[in-house]
Each structure stands twice: as C-alpha cells, then as structure tokens.
C-alpha cells in the first residue's frame, strides 16, 4: 500500500517548496508534483516537515528512589501526538552494573515503543569492565556516552573518570555527552540550605546557580579538548554555559549545546509559587532561570551557537514529587515535555519571528540527526529517507492541559498555555499515528535505530597532539636523532 501527502509545502532545514510526497514500504519513494497513492493525506495549508527527534528522554528510568512514570509506550505516544517521531533515551547502568546488562534491560522496555528510538549509554562508574564494554556497546549501534558531573554519591563521575571515558570515546569514534553541573558545589550548597532550614522547592534552584553549570560546562569542554573528543552538552540552561560553548565553537571545537523547551519558556518564578505541588512539579536540574538566561538561549538558537531543542522528558507524578515534602533534595528531579516541545517551540519561536520554519526543522530534527549520525535516514525529507513526517498545521490551536495529554502523569508544566501550530498528521515510517487529534499509535511499531561510529574530529585535538607528540631531543640546535 502506498500513501501520498498532497498539496502541502515541504519545509526542511534548508528548503521550502511545494510538492507531494509518496511513501511506500515506510520510506519516501518520490517527491514531486501530482503524485498518486492508495491513501491520500491532504496537507492543504500545511507544512510537511521531518518528524521531530527528541534526543533527551528518560522513560521508565530508576532515579532518586523511584521510576519515571512515562514508559516507552506512553512516552512515545506523547511524542507522536506532538509531532516527534523518534526519541533517544538514556540507558542507565546502576553504579557497578555492566553496560551490556543495562542495555538489555533497555531493549526489553523499548519493545513497547510506538515510534523509532535509539539510546545513549550513561557512564555512571568507571572500571575495566566499563572500558571493555564500551566497545561492545558501540558495536551494537550506540555511539554516544553520557556522563553526569552532578548527582554526587549516585551517578556522578569525577574528572579522572571523565577524562578516561572521554579518551575511550575518542578511540571508539563515539560522541561524549555531559550533564554539566558541579556536583561537589551543589552538594555543599544543598547541605547548607537544609541546615539553615530552607527545605522547600525554591531551595533546589538556590542550590544550583548558573555558576555551577558554567564551571562544569567549561571544565567538560577543556577535558574533551585534551581527550580529543567531540562533546555534546545536554540541557544548557544559562548564559554561563552558553558562553563556554560559544567560545569553544568559535575556536573550531566540535561542541554542541542543547537548550530545553522548558528553559526557553518557563522561568525561575515558578519556584516561588505559593502552592508546594506547583513548585515541586517544576523541580529539575538545571532549574529554570531568569529572563536574561532565556534571552541568551534564544539568541544561541538564532545565531547557531546552540544547536538542538530537547525536553529531557523525565516525568514524575505529584505523589512521587511529594517524597521530598520536607527536604527538597529528595524531590525527584525532572519534568515532562515530549508532547509539547514542537507546538511550544513553534508558538514561541516561529510565531514570534525568532526562528524561521527552516530553523525550526533544524533545531527539532535535522541537526541532531547529523550530530548522532542517523541522517538522512532520520531528520530529512528526501527519497530513501524513513517516512517519519509531520504534516504541520500552523493555524491549529489548543490550550495545553493535563486532562487531554498522552503522558501518564497528573499535571503538565505548561498547563493553560495556548499554542498555535500543531500536527494535522504524524507519520512513523509511513504509518499514520496521529490524524487530526485522533491517536492511532501502534504499540511495538517502533524500531531501534543503530548508529555508526565515526572518527573523532576536533580541531583543538590536533593542536594538542602536536604539543604532546614525541619530538627528537635537540642539543645545541643539533638534532640528536634522525640524522
Ligand atoms: O532533572 C532532570 N534533568 N532529571 C533527569 C535526569 C537528568 O539529569 O537529565
Ligand atoms: Zn541531566
Ligand atoms: Zn499550580
Ligand atoms: Zn536528562
């Protein structure tokens, strides 16, 4: 059976033009005028774009004494409802657990996915077994490794471990990733706040000022430079971190920054809300920031110093958040956003004139497909690409509400916000998963996307190699060797 999307305007990261799209066997087989197919999807008045890729989700993840409440079924259903057709989740070994063991756990969970998915592997401890298994993980198509510089005493790795793992990534042609916050300082500030009687959700934000993120981002960049590995910085939330990324990129280093839709559109005043639940539901790391930081993130997306908009979707119910009722350090960290990322970014990015539709496609899909080496299978409207597509209606509106969301939790951090710009259709490998608000997802339809490694490329790396390469010893200007 073939499907044709008719009368739409194709929008990619670099082109806007009118054409129909023919889909057969889950891939795009033709793009052009007057195409015919068995099933016709009308895209009159709509943009036909690559489906979104959310490279930062935590589905059914054990964390802070509980599990995040969206699993691969509800999480990917939420994704598709909002125009996202691929997620990249973090396989997270418990400290001491083998990477391959964790990976098989994640493969079991993701069997229920409604859309395609890949993983990053988290490095939560260091040892010979981890070193060895990193190669096996790459051989299985997982070519990005995430490191937590925060969550001291749980997931955090120290600088010696970071450097060792980064060098291993470089040798394997893998991408290094970091959650960049100075975990030692956070632990110290948290203890002090608690001792002073500051137990509420607002203290979570006080314990993680922009400086802890700026310092760790800069440190990770310098360590990555010495290890000669490209670096992806997740959830970049403030000017201090953005500044470090901007500077690295201007020096030719392969460093990418990823702001979240939450940090772009919600600010720190949320933590001063008189309702404890309201504030606790928004506790995540890094915390929401003030308007200057938000402006910095938007400027980064406009200028290209920041590359990707993600969600870090890590959803906890109100009951789970209440574990930290008397101690903010026990509030499970994380917020949802999978269903709302694309509509919120369109509303606050494209409708305000900050981003062009092409830039929207770049930061929600194409850039990350290239960074993670799954382009043009994903992130493209090209013949041969997977038919992961969204038919986007720029006139369609709704008010975001937990009552009508796909996510399994009982609230939404964007509750009450009106969005303009929503999917008319979302297609996952050619299959219509969302049609005019009707959800037709199919549990288990999603497939794992394996990714190839590639040689590490980092300009500063070559400078470092020159500095450290063995040189002949010179005496009085006369070379001692090589004569
Ligand atoms: O608060 C957050 N971001 N929770 C999810 C885990 C992480 O740090 O990304
Ligand atoms: Zn993180
Ligand atoms: Zn509230
Ligand atoms: Zn995360």
């Amino acid at each position: 059976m073939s499907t044709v999307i008719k009368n739409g305007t194709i929008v990619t990261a670099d082109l806007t033009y009118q054409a129909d799209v023919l889909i057969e066997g889950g891939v795009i087989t033709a793009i052009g005028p007057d195409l015919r197919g068995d099933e016709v999807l009308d895209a009159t008045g709509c943009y036909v774009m690559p489906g979104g890729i959310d490279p930062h989700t935590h589905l059914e993840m054990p964390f802070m004494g509980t599990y995040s409440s969206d699993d691969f079924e509800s999480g990917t259903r939420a994704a598709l409802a909002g125009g996202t057709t691929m997620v990249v989740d973090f396989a997270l070994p418990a400290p001491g657990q083998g990477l391959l063991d964790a990976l098989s756990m994640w493969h079991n969970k993701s069997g229920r996915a409604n859309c395609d998915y890949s993983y990053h592997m988290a490095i939560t401890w260091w040892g010979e077994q981890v070193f060895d298994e990193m190669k096996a993980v790459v051989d299985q198509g997982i070519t990005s490794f995430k490191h937590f510089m925060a969550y001291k005493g749980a997931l955090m790795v120290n600088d010696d471990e970071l450097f060792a793992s980064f060098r291993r990534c470089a040798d394997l042609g893998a991408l290094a990733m970091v959650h960049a916050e100075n975990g030692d300082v956070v632990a110290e500030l948290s203890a002090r706040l608690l001792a002073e009687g500051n137990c509420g959700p607002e203290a979570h934000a006080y314990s993680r000022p922009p400086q802890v993120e700026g310092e760790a981002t800069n440190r990770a960049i310098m360590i990555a430079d010495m290890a000669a590995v490209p670096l992806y910085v997740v959830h970049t939330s403030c000017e201090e971190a953005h500044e470090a990324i901007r500077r690295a990129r201007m020096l030719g280093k392969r460093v990418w920054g990823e702001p979240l839709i939450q940090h772009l559109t919600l600010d720190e005043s949320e933590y001063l809300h008189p309702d404890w639940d309201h504030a606790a539901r928004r506790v995540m790391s890094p915390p929401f920031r003030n308007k200057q930081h938000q402006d910095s993130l938007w400027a980064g997306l406009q200028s290209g110093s920041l590359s990707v908009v993600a969600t870090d979707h890590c959803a906890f119910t109100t009951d789970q958040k209440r574990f930290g009722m008397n101690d903010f350090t026990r509030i499970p960290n994380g917020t949802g956003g999978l269903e709302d990322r694309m509509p919120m970014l369109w509303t606050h990015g494209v409708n305000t004139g900050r981003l062009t539709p092409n830039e929207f496609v770049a930061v929600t899909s194409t850039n990350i497909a290239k960074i993670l080496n799954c382009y043009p299978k994903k992130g493209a409207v090209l013949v041969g690409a997977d038919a992961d597509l969204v038919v986007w209606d720029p006139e369609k509106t709704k008010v975001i509400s937990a009552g009508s969301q796909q996510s399994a939790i009982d609230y939404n951090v964007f509750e009450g916000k009106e969005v303009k710009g929503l999917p008319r259709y979302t297609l996952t490998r050619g299959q219509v998963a969302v049609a005019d608000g009707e959800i037709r997802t199919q549990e288990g339809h999603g497939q794992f996307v394996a990714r190839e490694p590639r040689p590490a490329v980092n300009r500063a790396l070559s400078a470092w190699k020159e500095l450290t390469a063995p040189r002949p010893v010179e005496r009085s200007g006369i070379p001692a060797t090589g004569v």
Side-chain angles (χ1 to χ4, degrees):
M1 202 203 64
S2 60
T3 302
V4 65
I5 302 174
K6 289 200 78 72
N7 309 318
T9 300
I10 296 176
V11 176
T12 67
D14 47 18
L15 290 173
T16 304
Y17 61 105
Q18 307 253 309
D20 299 342
V21 179
L22 180 66
I23 300 159
E24 293 164 295
V27 300
I28 297 170
T29 53
I31 300 170
D34 304 321
L35 300 177
R36 287 172 203 287
D38 303 325
E39 178 190 30
V40 176
L41 302 178
D42 181 34
T44 303
C46 290
Y47 299 122
V48 180
M49 308 190 290
I53 300 171
D54 192 335
H56 190 157
T57 68
H58 302 281
L59 301 174
E60 207 183 335
M61 181 179 78
F63 188 51
M64 295 185 74
T66 183
Y67 279 81
S68 58
S69 281
D70 275 314
D71 59 16
F72 274 84
E73 196 289 309
S74 64
T76 55
R77 178 157 38 85
L80 288 163
T84 290
T85 53
M86 177 174 168
V87 301
V88 190
D89 203 74
F90 291 86
L92 191 88
Q97 184 187 15
L99 307 187
L100 295 175
D101 202 26
L103 188 53
S104 75
M105 283 171 57
W106 252 258
H107 273 304
N108 283 337
K109 300 188 219 200
S110 60
R112 300 181 61 208
N114 296 291
C115 69
D116 288 0
Y117 54 90
S118 192
Y119 313 121
H120 315 286
M121 177 56 66
I123 299 297
T124 55
W125 61 289
W126 190 248
E128 250 176 61
Q129 187 187 353
V130 174
F131 180 93
D132 290 341
E133 289 191 359
M134 284 174 81
K135 166 91 170 70
V137 166
V138 167
D139 289 343
Q140 291 189 35
I142 293 128
T143 53
S144 40
F145 293 90
K146 155 89 166 286
H147 308 75
F148 293 93
M149 300 169 81
Y151 305 124
K152 188 176 181 180
L155 305 173
M156 182 169 119
V157 287
N158 296 320
D159 290 350
D160 53 349
E161 299 165 320
L162 206 59
F163 187 44
S165 179
F166 279 15
R167 280 187 295 177
R168 182 69 167 145
C169 287
D171 287 343
L172 294 170
L175 176 70
M177 308 172 77
V178 282
H179 168 136
E181 289 184 302
N182 184 317
D184 288 314
V185 172
V186 169
E188 192 60 34
L189 290 176
S190 299
R192 220 192 283 181
L193 284 157
L194 284 174
E196 288 164 358
N198 291 300
C199 305
E202 71 283 4
H204 172 80
Y206 303 151
S207 74
R208 313 179 97 99
Q211 289 91 332
V212 304
E213 188 183 342
E215 185 281 324
T217 302
N218 195 59
R219 178 159 39 102
I221 288 169
M222 295 302 170
I223 293 174
D225 188 17
M226 291 183 281
V229 73
L231 182 71
Y232 184 91
V233 183
V234 304
H235 49 45
T236 304
S237 77
C238 64
E239 162 57 17
E240 284 80 349
H242 177 198
E243 180 195 22
I245 293 165
R246 212 164 51 220
R247 190 169 57 233
R249 289 173 65 87
M250 282 168 61
L251 292 169
K253 299 180 192 180
R254 306 290 170 151
V255 176
W256 297 277
E258 171 206 83
L260 306 181
I261 190 62
Q262 296 92 320
H263 289 115
L264 287 162
T265 59
L266 300 172
D267 70 37
E268 62 186 3
S269 66
E270 301 280 357
Y271 300 117
L272 298 174
H273 196 281
D275 175 14
W276 188 95
D277 285 339
H278 180 106
R281 288 162 170 168
R282 287 151 180 85
V283 162
M284 67 168 300
S285 298
F288 301 156
R289 308 293 192 190
N290 68 26
K291 184 161 185 312
Q292 272 107 1
H293 295 294
Q294 293 185 316
D295 287 346
S296 168
L297 301 181
W298 282 109
L301 291 175
Q302 292 172 226
S303 66
S305 53
L306 298 172
S307 310
V308 174
V309 177
T311 63
D312 192 5
H313 187 98
C314 189
F316 296 102
T317 63
T318 303
D319 282 346
Q320 290 176 305
K321 290 285 187 178
R322 286 179 184 166
F323 294 164
M325 190 59 105
N326 301 310
D327 174 353
F328 71 88
T329 65
R330 300 172 72 91
I331 300 171
N333 285 200
T335 58
L338 258 172
E339 185 170 349
D340 310 309
R341 177 182 67 132
M342 306 264 285
M344 281 293 286
L345 189 69
W346 188 274
T347 302
H348 294 274
V350 178
N351 292 346
T352 57
R354 283 160 162 154
L355 300 177
T356 66
N358 308 92
E359 288 165 346
F360 174 86
V361 171
V363 300
T364 56
S365 183
T366 305
N367 287 355
I368 192 65
K370 291 178 180 173
I371 293 166
L372 296 181
N373 209 15
C374 58
Y375 182 88
K377 175 180 169 64
K378 303 295 186 188
V381 183
L382 287 173
V383 170
D386 282 356
D388 277 11
L389 297 166
V390 61
V391 177
W392 192 260
D393 183 346
E395 297 301 324
K396 193 170 172 180
T397 63
K398 78 167 185 186
V399 175
I400 294 175
S401 168
S404 54
Q405 73 186 3
Q406 302 301 316
S407 166
I409 63 171
D410 59 320
Y411 62 91
N412 186 308
V413 295
F414 303 114
E415 183 76 31
K417 298 211 182 291
E418 179 163 357
V419 286
K420 185 176 180 199
L422 285 158
R424 178 181 292 176
Y425 298 107
T426 309
L427 290 88
T428 158
R429 273 181 290 104
Q431 192 163 312
V432 178
V434 177
D436 264 322
E438 185 202 335
I439 305 296
R440 301 188 201 159
T441 50
Q442 186 196 326
E443 185 174 326
H445 166 81
Q447 291 178 355
F448 172 67
V449 178
R451 298 177 284 115
E452 291 289 317
R454 44 179 177 190
V457 180
N458 193 327
R459 196 184 69 90
L461 138 72
S462 53
W464 171 255
K465 280 213 167 139
E466 273 163 36
L467 285 173
T468 55
R471 291 156 180 266
V473 181
E474 294 185 18
R475 284 197 201 92
S476 314
I478 302 161
T481 56
V483 185

